[in-house]
Amino acid sequence: IQLLGGGEPADSDGDGMPDAWELANGLDPFANDAGGDADGDGITNLQEYQHGLNPQVADPWPEITILWPQDGQEI
């Protein structure tokens, strides 16, 4: 694992996740596993990296409830 010319961390497989992060989190830095889901939580490995999560520990997506006013109600 090496730094590239611009100081960017190496990404040997070009999957958007630095080799060092993949190694530290039990992924293969030489296989494009960005779309995989190592912990089966529905969040891809790349999304886990982008959000600072652990790809080996299942994390639930936050639930969002959208409320719409009913006729005659004000917000």
Side-chain angles (χ1 to χ4, degrees):
I1 298 173
Q2 59 185 326
L3 291 180
L4 302 177
E8 292 293 317
D11 181 10
S12 297
D13 53 16
D15 63 2
M17 300 178 291
D19 293 351
W21 186 86
E22 290 193 68
L23 286 170
N25 287 281
L27 301 176
D28 183 349
F30 301 106
N32 186 331
D33 46 9
D37 182 10
D39 54 18
D41 62 3
I43 305 171
T44 67
N45 296 328
L46 180 59
Q47 290 169 326
E48 300 255 15
Y49 166 69
Q50 292 170 331
H51 296 286
L53 303 173
N54 183 334
Q56 302 299 335
V57 177
D59 300 290
W61 279 107
E63 290 188 28
I64 299 172
T65 303
I66 299 174
L67 302 175
W68 294 97
Q70 305 219 354
D71 290 339
Q73 289 182 325
E74 293 185 25
I75 296 180

